[in-house]
Amino acid sequence: MSVNNSLEARLKLKAAELGFVACGIALADAAPRTAERLRAWLAEGAHGDMLWMEARAHHRENPAGLWPEARSVIALGMSYAPREDPMRLAGEPAHGRISVYAQGTDYHDLVKKALKALARWLVAEAGGDLKVFVDTAPVMEKPLAEAAGLGWQGKHTNLVSRTDGSWLFLGAIYTTLALEPDKAGRDTCGSCDACQRACPTNAFPAPYRLDARRCISYLTIEHAGPIPEEFRASIGNRIYGCDDCLAACPWNKFAEAARANRAFAPRAELAAPHLADLLALDDAGFRQVFAGSPIKRIGRDRMMRNCLIAAGNSGDAALASAVASLLDDANDVVRDAAQWAIARLAPLQTRSP
């Protein structure tokens, strides 16, 4: 029995040792339609307040735009497949729902550490120059991951893997090495539109198109101002992100929680937090609770806004006092959300005889 001892094969074995469940290679120019699609999306204004998408669009359009010397892209995926149903808190309005990816250790740090280790190994084995990227750089990880064979961009615009469903953190290594590319992923969504139907705010104007301005993940994480009233009721008890379109994907039945990195396991205080507890946090308390979590970057005020929207949707009059304590908050966005929430809860309060 022959053993494949090529550099590409050894690279993938090393990636697996470092915790990546998926590793593929694409040529640096393997996703030519990315630029066209990105320009059209930005022209529609569908990126909302994410102005950095527009400011560095020329870097995102293809790897050469960011680093002309790049010849190959190594796309990698680390699983965070959940052990429990991501939708389990949908009927628990007194609890806040946090997206699965943010319930454990901040993936940026963990994935980047593993990428750097893989990069050091590659340089030692084959030389060349390289750069590593995790999410924060102007890199279009999803189309590159599709080009490298990790999966395909589904109708919800996220990557879908045959083995890991919709639960992959993506990273990329650009290198000057000319590596043998893998076969690109093939779209296997077929006629399924489960992710489209699952969206509470109709954020998909068409399959494979996302209007971020209507997306709950965008509204609760990236958007800094008041959440438009037309979306507030639909947000329900989601206080950071939304998993609905991901959780609806039938390919998730093949995703095994055992393949997920243990560091991404939910922290007890983030798996099912009580809204009353979160509403009581000051800035120091917020920083303490969310230390080491990607949630920390949105700051206390944005989290209070989100929790107040959830409280207003809860139908729980017991939360009225916690909401009322924020009516005079120093932040005007928090005050606005508190006023909206108290107006919904006040009629539910038991009146004294």
Side-chain angles (χ1 to χ4, degrees), residues 41 59 77 86 88 196 252 264 276 286 291 322 342 344:
W41 187 69
H59 287 153
R88 72 190 185 284
Q196 314 283 284
N252 288 330
F264 302 136
F286 169 84
I342 203 68
R344 289 170 65 91

Side-chain angles (χ1 to χ4, degrees), residues 160-334:
V160 183
S161 162
R162 284 178 171 270
T163 54
D164 296 286
S166 297
W167 314 112
L168 284 178
F169 290 129
L170 299 177
I173 298 176
Y174 288 3
T175 175
T176 56
L177 296 174
L179 300 174
E180 183 68 26
D182 290 295
K183 185 178 179 180
R186 182 173 65 88
D187 188 334
T188 319
C189 286
S191 61
C192 178
D193 63 351
C195 59
Q196 314 283 284
R197 289 183 283 106
C199 181
T201 53
N202 297 313
F204 300 104
Y208 308 103
R209 289 177 57 201
L210 170 69
D211 187 342
R213 296 166 296 185
R214 303 184 64 89
C215 175
I216 292 176
S217 286
Y218 165 81
L219 292 169
T220 56
I221 299 173
E222 305 297 345
H223 181 61
I227 292 175
E229 291 203 24
E230 65 178 298
F231 303 125
R232 294 184 183 184
S234 297
I235 285 175
N237 61 339
R238 302 170 187 82
I239 59 172
Y240 188 92
C242 178
D243 289 320
D244 292 35
C245 67
L246 300 179
C249 181
W251 284 99
N252 288 330
K253 65 185 177 184
F254 298 108
E256 299 178 9
R259 285 166 61 85
N261 191 304
R262 293 182 180 179
F264 302 136
R267 288 162 46 182
E269 66 273 25
L270 301 185
H274 289 273
L275 290 175
D277 294 337
L278 295 177
L279 289 169
L281 295 176
D282 57 13
D283 187 65
F286 169 84
R287 291 175 179 274
Q288 180 177 4
V289 170
F290 296 105
S293 162
I295 298 173
K296 185 179 178 181
R297 77 177 182 88
I298 71 170
R300 175 262 180 191
D301 294 340
R302 210 174 298 184
M303 177 55 78
M304 286 304 105
R305 175 202 63 186
N306 298 343
C307 290
L308 286 164
I309 298 298
N313 289 328
S314 70
D316 185 355
L319 291 172
S321 59
V323 170
S325 69
L326 294 166
L327 288 169
D328 296 320
D329 193 84
N331 183 273
D332 57 350
V333 174
V334 173

Side-chain angles (χ1 to χ4, degrees), residues 138-159:
V139 172
M140 300 292 278
E141 292 97 341
K142 290 180 283 188
L144 289 172
E146 178 179 300
L150 269 61
W152 69 96
Q153 276 192 268
K155 292 179 181 177
H156 52 22
T157 75
N158 291 287
L159 193 79

Side-chain angles (χ1 to χ4, degrees), residues 55-71:
R56 301 193 67 182
H58 60 295
H59 287 153
R60 296 179 187 277
E61 290 178 353
N62 59 68
L66 180 61
W67 191 33
E69 292 78 13
R71 299 181 68 186

Side-chain angles (χ1 to χ4, degrees), residues 20-50:
F20 293 106
V21 298
C23 176
I25 299 166
L27 299 177
D29 59 357
R33 296 189 63 190
T34 300
E36 174 189 344
R37 292 172 175 172
L38 177 61
R39 291 188 198 116
W41 187 69
L42 293 172
E44 292 172 3
H47 58 305
D49 295 338
M50 295 184 289

